[in-house]
Amino acid sequence: MHRSMWTYAWDILDLGFDRVTGELRDRAGLNSVSLATSYHAGRFLQPRSPVRKAYFPEDGTIYFHPAPSRWDGMTIQPKVADIIAQGGDVLRELVRRRDTGGLKVCCWTVCLHNTRLGLLHPGAVTRNAFGDPNYYNLCPSNSDARAYVCALVADLTHAYRPDIVELESPCFMGFAHEFHHEKDGVGLTAEDDFFLSLCFCESCRARAAAAGVDVEAARRLVAQWIVEACEREVPKPRFPEFPAGGLACFRQFPAVHEYLLWRTEPVTSLIAEIKARAHADCRIVLIDVADGWLGGCDLQAIGKVCDGAILCVYGRSPAESAAILRQGKAALGHEKFLGAGLRVFPHDVKGAEGLARQADACITAGARGLNFYNYGLVPARRLDWIRETLEHAPGE
């Protein structure tokens, strides 16, 4: 079974390759490392770093050395994180160690969540029904954004030959919790957040119109719902069955429903293009969540154009986790890779026993791999939780 842990380059540079790979393999019982090779900004508490206890990574940078020839003439260009430019090529060293019997190497690659690039290229970002930009989200319909992500993965896979590329955010993103110091005095409901996340940028409008969708009718209605939400005295959902009811919630509004059905096309076709451009020896999988349709992910369609998916079940009960994995397996098909993403945080699982129950439920439901989040963010003793979980996992 595939067993990996999401890891940042700065943790490896702070703690050293020998310690990190030794702990992942010998203490946690893993056979792979999933290195963040493209990442966004944040603030990270570093419980085990001997160098720092808080780290603020550069926004929207890459953690490998790109091949200049692959980026000639590209509108959107990558920036190598200073920590890599100064500290060395972490990915290259992990691949070298893999080739001499070490851990398999996966590239955890953030695709369209990139505020730095969004601010530099505002014409490539998603825009709500009023045309307001979401600078943190490059749009999967935009040709420059698509070219950037495809070149990113092509560069990674041809130059480094990782075992797997794990795609995060090759899709539309939500409105809340994606930027910094967000303010909301209205009290947005889940559906309000969704409506504000729907993209009506020029690229989406043109692409949807070419598919025969009445984009303007959909935009007007979504804009109306946003205005009404902003005028409420207190939060009140218009669609009480949202999001559990899925796209069926909007069937009585044909223009919006048609637009939402179309919205999966740019995401699926982008993943297909990424796969086509990647090196044939590298598997391409999507990192997704239970309600991935909110971001335009159609897991059944995506399963036909890539190698599988990792479904994150953070904070879910064992029963809920199993249901998500069963649904994922049914959508992807039995021949595709299906992994589960588990978070080793105290508010997500109750100790080693809770992690084991959740992992067992995922494996029993069809998971062929487990990814744990996140090496540098948790105390060392939580690695023991992972080992205990894997030692007693079904089929291990």
Side-chain angles (χ1 to χ4, degrees):
M1 184 174 70
H2 178 75
R3 308 183 299 275
S4 193
M5 194 165 197
W6 286 303
T7 305
Y8 299 123
W10 52 86
D11 292 314
I12 296 176
L13 291 173
D14 285 357
L15 291 163
F17 284 92
D18 289 342
R19 179 175 173 183
V20 172
T21 57
E23 286 190 337
L24 291 173
R25 181 188 61 242
D26 302 326
R27 186 165 187 176
L30 303 172
N31 56 23
S32 306
V33 56
S34 293
L35 180 73
T37 46
S38 171
Y39 210 68
H40 49 72
R43 185 203 67 197
F44 300 88
L45 179 63
Q46 303 293 112
R48 284 180 291 131
S49 172
V51 179
R52 65 195 113 216
K53 284 295 175 267
Y55 185 63
F56 293 78
E58 292 177 81
D59 193 11
T61 55
I62 64 173
Y63 293 83
F64 66 95
H65 290 293
S69 61
R70 288 196 176 272
W71 298 92
D72 286 345
M74 299 277 290
T75 299
I76 301 179
Q77 294 282 327
K79 179 186 183 299
V80 178
D82 288 346
I83 197 169
I84 296 298
Q86 298 163 8
D89 195 338
V90 173
L91 179 58
R92 179 68 66 196
E93 176 60 14
L94 289 176
V95 170
R96 186 193 70 78
R97 289 170 176 250
R98 176 202 64 187
D99 292 344
T100 56
L103 297 169
K104 291 186 296 181
V105 177
C106 306
C107 290
W108 168 25
T109 304
V110 174
C111 297
L112 297 174
H113 185 186
N114 198 311
T115 303
R116 186 186 71 82
L117 290 178
L119 290 169
L120 287 172
H121 303 278
V125 303
T126 61
R127 292 178 178 265
N128 66 24
F130 295 91
D132 307 320
N134 297 313
Y135 290 113
Y136 51 83
N137 188 190
L138 300 175
C139 182
S141 290
N142 181 270
S143 58
D144 289 333
R146 293 171 70 93
Y148 168 77
V149 175
C150 290
L152 187 72
V153 177
D155 201 349
L156 265 175
T157 57
H158 286 272
Y160 291 86
R161 306 287 180 88
D163 297 274
I164 298 174
V165 174
E166 302 163 349
L167 302 177
E168 178 182 323
S169 70
C171 55
F172 298 100
M173 299 177 65
F175 178 71
H177 309 302
E178 305 296 357
F179 202 63
H180 312 291
H181 299 292
E182 297 171 343
K183 308 295 181 183
D184 166 24
V186 173
L188 297 176
T189 65
E191 67 195 42
D192 299 332
D193 177 88
F194 180 58
F195 298 149
L196 282 162
S197 78
L198 295 179
C199 182
F200 293 93
C201 73
E202 290 184 7
S203 298
C204 278
R205 291 165 66 92
R207 201 174 182 104
V213 177
D214 189 345
V215 184
E216 181 56 22
R219 187 203 65 79
R220 286 197 304 267
L221 188 51
V222 170
Q224 176 187 325
W225 289 341
I226 293 171
V227 169
E228 292 172 358
C230 291
E231 294 174 346
R232 289 186 311 237
E233 183 176 3
V234 295
K236 183 180 180 181
R238 175 186 295 273
F239 300 95
E241 67 277 22
F242 181 90
L247 293 176
C249 297
F250 307 103
R251 278 187 181 144
Q252 59 183 312
F253 303 97
V256 173
H257 188 249
E258 186 179 17
Y259 191 69
L260 296 179
L261 288 172
W262 163 81
R263 190 167 169 259
T264 64
E265 185 280 325
V267 178
T268 302
S269 62
L270 174 58
I271 295 173
E273 188 174 348
I274 290 170
K275 173 66 177 174
R277 295 273 304 278
H279 193 281
D281 291 344
C282 303
R283 289 193 290 172
I284 305 297
V285 303
L286 171 69
I287 299 175
D288 202 8
V289 294
D291 291 323
W293 67 271
L294 295 170
C297 291
D298 178 345
L299 204 55
Q300 185 172 11
I302 289 170
K304 296 176 181 177
V305 299
C306 72
D307 298 299
I310 300 168
L311 301 182
C312 295
V313 291
Y314 303 158
R316 302 281 188 164
S317 70
E320 291 170 332
S321 300
I324 291 168
L325 268 294
R326 283 194 296 269
Q327 292 168 3
K329 185 175 182 179
L332 288 170
H334 293 277
E335 74 284 1
K336 298 290 183 173
F337 174 78
L338 175 64
L342 310 176
R343 192 160 56 187
V344 197
F345 289 7
H347 56 268
D348 286 308
V349 292
K350 294 181 179 178
E353 184 180 345
L355 182 64
R357 286 199 301 269
Q358 188 182 36
D360 289 356
C362 291
I363 295 170
T364 302
R368 290 157 47 192
L370 298 175
N371 272 53
F372 298 91
Y373 187 92
N374 175 292
Y375 175 79
L377 301 181
V378 299
R381 282 186 283 185
R382 299 235 191 105
L383 300 177
D384 300 329
W385 295 8
I386 297 174
R387 184 166 196 86
E388 291 176 33
T389 292
L390 295 173
E391 286 176 342
H392 300 97
E396 284 296 295

